[in-house]
Amino acid sequence: MSTTYDRAHELSHLSIHLDAQQMIERARAEGIETVWDRLRAQEPQCGYCQLGLSCRNCSMGPCRIDPFGEGPQKGVCGADGDTIVARNLGRTITGGASSHSDHGRDILEVFARVANGEASGYQIADEAKLRRIADELGLVSEGRDTNEVARDLAKELMENYGIAKNSLSFIGRVPQVRRDRWKELGITPRGIDRENVEMMHRTHMGVDNDYVNILLHALRTALSDGWGGSMIATELSDIMFGTPQPVTSEVNLGVLKLDQVNIAMHGHNPLLSDVIVAAAQDPALVELARSYGANGINVVGLCCTGNEMLMRKGVPMAGNHLMQELVMVTGALEAMVVDYQCIMPSVVDVAKCYHTQVISTSDKAKFPGATHMSFDPQRGEEIAHDIVRAAVEAFPNRNQDRVRIPVSPVRMMGGFSVEAILAALGGTAQPLIDAIAAGSIRGAVAVVGCNNPKLPQDREHIELTRTLIEHDILVLVTGCAAIANGKAGQMMPESAALAGPGLRALCEALGVPPVLHMGSCVDNSRVVQLAGALANAMGVDIDSLPLAGAAPEWYSEKAVAIGTYVVGSGITTVLGVQPPIFGSPHVVSLLADGLDAVVGAKFAVEPDPYKAALLIRRHIEAKRAALGLPFIADDQIHDDEAASRVTTTAGSARV
Ligand code: XCC
Ligand code: SF4
């Protein structure tokens, strides 16, 4: 029999959070299968696939290349390991870039309807931003009606998806020197759909067999996401739902309410969640909830739909990627409303063990076993009401004896759009640039991306972030990385106490946390936009800045697309999970080294958060040295943390 210690130890390898650990134990006790069980059942996972050396792009295959050089070195068509690895990576990036960009298109279509007065429940929430962007893109906004300006902007942005325009609207945000570099390399994105479709074409059997050529196009495809599809999603969401401003909320499973109807909004697209938040406040629906004995309707977020709602409305956050099954194990969730991306098909299976309704809403994302309530923005308000009503009606089926809400929530701050960051700095980036120049802040790092059940949930995010801020490096977070840091209590103004003296002083002066929540996955466009603005203000290219990216626990194709456009934009990025490219030493050497000569940035892989921090600190100091700023020499930067840390457990037990 295992001891309590053994069990706790084993659980701490799955997640460092109490809420997750308790719910995993409970799921086990109740015989409910979770992501960790299914991962174990898949092990050992295919070695060829892990190395990127398998191909099933045609029916002469599937083919595998022997990494030890003894078996086949060519696929049936003659493709070698370099070609196969590069093609697979290219398709992965296209999967991610397409997801973000199609999300952007969905927002754009609704925005166009709003401009035409055809969508119910939506409006232009930030007219000033609409006009600012219209001016930026050279559209006439002065003296014209809001909807007219919106119609022009919609038309302009729609052309980003086609081939007629042959460029991206927001390319002007990229420093000129970088644009020149892209042009020279032939990687300037021409159109969002075009780059993605072209990647599918190039990776068909018998098209592009030159791994360098494939990877250059992969960069272009990713850039069409970061400066195209994702940026359109972010900017139009701000215009329609409001540009985020600093807001305080709460995070972890403790945000569920024992005595209320709990609705979790899961996925990525804010179109539906925004109207749901409004519907949940409708007095008639609140009254209906009361008639069933509930004390109100509590909307909470999961993953990036949750980030969108937290950033703009301060809606509490139940958790990140690996919490989506466990949130139902509380027995307190009436409905999980899903749009798309990162929603495990298994949520339907877990829901069956409780009274939880899984409600799918996007016609492009159906889940067998879920109730589908097709979302039509023309009837946005009405559909939102139907969904909330369905959740309320599930409440009487809740078995209160099975309800267990494990922890008390932790407070976190969000809402750091580029606009909000500049406002906090007093209107311009200059105070931040001055602090970086003086060395009180060494640089900034974007810690982004997912959870992956192959790693203890959130440990890498939290430890890497903590180590960086201790060394006076400002951390920007998005996606599941933001939620991880929130749960660890690293995202309140008081968290400045965790930072080094320079960063701490700046945060205390501005009243902001040392870890700034910039939003959802598509909001990584805010990160590159900010980087571009800093570079322009300093009159240098982005790759000269003391910046880095990190995706410590990434799992998704979208994360690969993000990492690639971040690197393509000139920001070196460290991955915590090995991407499936190690079957080709050529591809590895290009991405981890050769790229630096062409785009001024490269990838590194380092699963240990302290070693990753070390790598990033050395990188940042080297960039400082090159800029002529005070810097710390390489041999003075040590891994002082490794010995002193144990795993963190965030969240306090509920009393
Ligand atoms: Fe998904 Fe965006 Fe990854 Fe989280 S971080 S697991 S992509 S929800 Ni973007
Ligand atoms: Fe095999 Fe070539 Fe077909 Fe891939 S494209 S499955 S390597 S024959």
Side-chain angles (χ1 to χ4, degrees):
M1 248 188 81
S2 68
T3 64
T4 311
Y5 173 79
D6 288 341
R7 225 175 54 230
H9 185 72
E10 192 250 318
L11 285 170
S12 74
H13 280 86
L14 306 186
S15 171
I16 62 162
H17 297 292
L18 264 184
D19 61 350
Q21 292 177 3
Q22 292 188 16
M23 291 302 104
I24 294 169
E25 278 212 287
R26 192 149 191 251
R28 286 177 180 171
E30 300 195 346
I32 296 167
E33 187 187 80
T34 62
V35 63
W36 291 277
D37 303 315
R38 293 188 299 273
L39 172 61
R40 192 171 307 166
Q42 285 291 338
E43 283 166 349
Q45 289 175 313
C46 172
Y48 294 98
C49 292
Q50 280 174 333
L51 294 171
L53 286 174
S54 51
C55 180
R56 45 169 191 74
N57 287 11
C58 86
S59 84
M60 295 191 285
C63 304
R64 296 180 300 190
I65 303 299
D66 179 12
F68 304 109
E70 282 152 23
Q73 295 301 298
K74 298 268 170 86
V76 176
C77 66
D80 63 11
D82 296 337
T83 302
I84 290 177
V85 167
R87 278 198 311 219
N88 288 339
L89 182 64
R91 286 198 168 190
T92 298
I93 288 168
T94 296
S98 301
S99 303
H100 285 147
S101 299
D102 198 43
H103 163 172
R105 180 190 355 249
D106 285 341
I107 307 265
L108 174 53
E109 284 192 313
V110 173
F111 175 72
R113 287 200 194 180
V114 172
N116 288 319
E118 293 168 2
S120 110
Y122 299 97
Q123 58 274 313
I124 306 290
D126 190 342
E127 190 183 331
K129 181 156 186 170
L130 166 68
R131 290 185 183 272
R132 205 164 59 239
I133 290 183
D135 291 341
E136 178 190 340
L137 303 186
L139 308 169
V140 186
S141 84
E142 215 189 297
R144 294 177 68 218
D145 173 67
T146 311
N147 280 354
E148 254 175 71
V149 178
R151 274 198 292 276
D152 283 0
L153 179 59
K155 187 161 173 281
E156 160 81 20
L157 295 178
M158 279 174 177
E159 285 171 4
N160 282 244
Y161 285 87
I163 59 170
K165 184 178 165 63
N166 217 32
S167 70
L168 300 181
S169 297
F170 290 120
I171 204 81
R173 294 177 173 184
V174 181
Q176 186 62 51
V177 266
R178 178 135 303 256
R179 271 185 272 160
D180 293 344
R181 243 201 245 210
W182 288 352
K183 198 167 168 193
E184 215 173 294
L185 288 167
I187 60 168
T188 309
R190 297 156 296 179
I192 299 164
D193 289 353
R194 176 180 194 152
E195 309 310 356
N196 283 289
V197 171
E198 184 171 317
M199 180 57 89
M200 294 310 286
H201 176 194
R202 285 188 188 221
T203 51
H204 185 280
M205 173 353 230
V207 185
D208 201 349
N209 295 304
D210 177 340
Y211 76 93
V212 177
N213 208 40
I214 295 171
L215 294 176
L216 284 172
H217 184 67
L219 279 169
R220 175 157 56 181
T221 306
L223 291 170
S224 82
D225 171 3
W227 299 91
S230 280
M231 202 167 270
I232 289 172
T234 297
E235 298 296 52
L236 293 183
S237 296
D238 283 358
I239 291 173
M240 279 197 289
F241 309 124
T243 304
Q245 296 301 322
V247 61
T248 303
S249 188
E250 294 187 321
V251 61
N252 77 27
L253 290 185
V255 301
L256 296 175
K257 299 243 164 76
L258 208 57
D259 60 345
Q260 296 198 14
V261 173
N262 292 305
I263 304 176
M265 304 295 300
H266 181 14
H268 283 78
N269 193 316
L271 281 172
L272 170 69
S273 46
D274 197 80
V275 278
I276 291 270
V277 171
Q281 287 157 4
D282 179 334
L285 288 170
V286 175
E287 195 39 54
L288 183 67
R290 284 193 202 288
S291 75
Y292 289 127
N295 242 330
I297 304 170
N298 181 36
V299 178
V300 301
L302 279 169
C303 290
C304 282
T305 294
N307 280 323
E308 298 274 356
M309 299 193 302
L310 185 145
M311 289 284 286
R312 297 198 179 84
K313 303 217 148 64
V315 171
M317 171 68 78
N320 43 4
H321 185 54
L322 290 179
M323 300 309 289
Q324 57 185 297
E325 294 173 310
L326 302 180
V327 66
M328 290 183 276
V329 180
T330 61
L333 193 68
E334 274 57 56
M336 177 177 287
V337 183
V338 302
D339 47 84
Y340 45 50
Q341 300 169 16
C342 300
I343 300 145
M344 293 186 199
S346 64
V347 293
V348 178
D349 303 322
V350 179
K352 279 189 196 127
C353 306
Y354 298 91
H355 68 299
T356 311
Q357 296 284 312
V358 177
I359 301 172
S360 57
T361 56
S362 166
D363 289 346
K364 50 184 105 163
K366 292 199 176 179
F367 294 75
T371 306
H372 190 65
M373 297 176 83
S374 176
F375 182 65
D376 168 8
Q378 242 166 314
R379 298 188 299 120
E381 252 182 81
E382 184 192 332
I383 294 165
H385 275 78
D386 291 347
I387 291 172
V388 174
R389 189 171 307 110
V392 170
E393 275 160 5
F395 185 80
N397 302 331
R398 185 198 283 188
N399 178 351
Q400 283 290 6
D401 296 339
R402 277 182 88 194
V403 172
R404 174 92 172 85
I405 298 172
V407 291
S408 298
V410 174
R411 278 153 53 83
M412 76 183 282
M413 194 181 241
F416 291 95
S417 55
V418 174
E419 290 87 339
I421 292 175
L422 293 179
L425 290 166
T428 75
Q430 202 54 47
L432 179 60
I433 293 171
D434 292 344
I436 290 175
S440 53
I441 292 188
R442 313 306 300 174
V445 176
V447 179
V448 310
C450 324
N451 283 151
N452 188 318
K454 294 176 178 174
L455 300 169
Q457 185 205 15
D458 292 349
R459 177 173 178 269
E460 318 274 310
H461 285 308
I462 294 169
E463 297 296 286
L464 173 62
T465 303
R466 175 79 75 92
T467 309
L468 293 174
I469 62 175
E470 278 170 2
H471 289 282
D472 289 321
I473 294 168
L474 177 68
V475 174
L476 313 170
V477 285
T478 58
C480 290
I483 307 169
N485 278 290
K487 282 188 273 183
Q490 299 186 159
M491 288 175 71
M492 288 299 288
E494 306 86 87
S495 321
L498 302 170
L503 178 58
R504 178 176 182 167
L506 182 87
C507 291
E508 285 176 350
L510 302 177
V512 300
V515 182
L516 300 179
H517 190 345
M518 293 191 78
S520 63
C521 311
V522 293
D523 292 338
N524 285 304
S525 66
R526 300 191 201 274
V527 173
V528 288
Q529 189 194 345
L530 182 64
L534 285 176
N536 281 332
M538 291 172 69
V540 296
D541 194 354
I542 297 174
D543 66 328
S544 300
L545 300 174
L547 302 177
E553 301 180 25
W554 73 276
Y555 94 87
S556 93
E557 293 175 317
K558 292 177 291 168
V560 187
I562 293 166
T564 307
Y565 75 67
V566 166
V567 168
S569 299
I571 303 172
T572 285
T573 295
V574 183
L575 306 175
V577 179
Q578 196 168 298
I581 58 169
F582 283 77
S584 166
H586 287 133
V587 170
V588 172
S589 124
L590 180 67
L591 297 181
D593 185 27
L595 263 187
D596 207 20
V598 286
V599 295
K602 57 189 178 183
F603 282 102
V605 178
E606 179 48 72
D608 178 299
Y610 312 111
K611 289 193 183 134
L614 202 61
L615 217 133
I616 289 172
R617 287 169 56 205
R618 290 192 170 135
H619 168 77
I620 280 180
E621 294 300 333
K623 292 291 177 189
R624 295 184 59 88
L627 277 172
L629 300 177
F631 68 97
I632 304 171
D634 237 31
D635 56 1
Q636 299 302 307
I637 304 173
H638 304 294
D639 185 1
D640 48 8
E641 288 79 21
S644 65
R645 287 281 171 72
V646 284
T647 47
T648 316
T649 303
S652 52
R654 201 180 195 100
V655 275

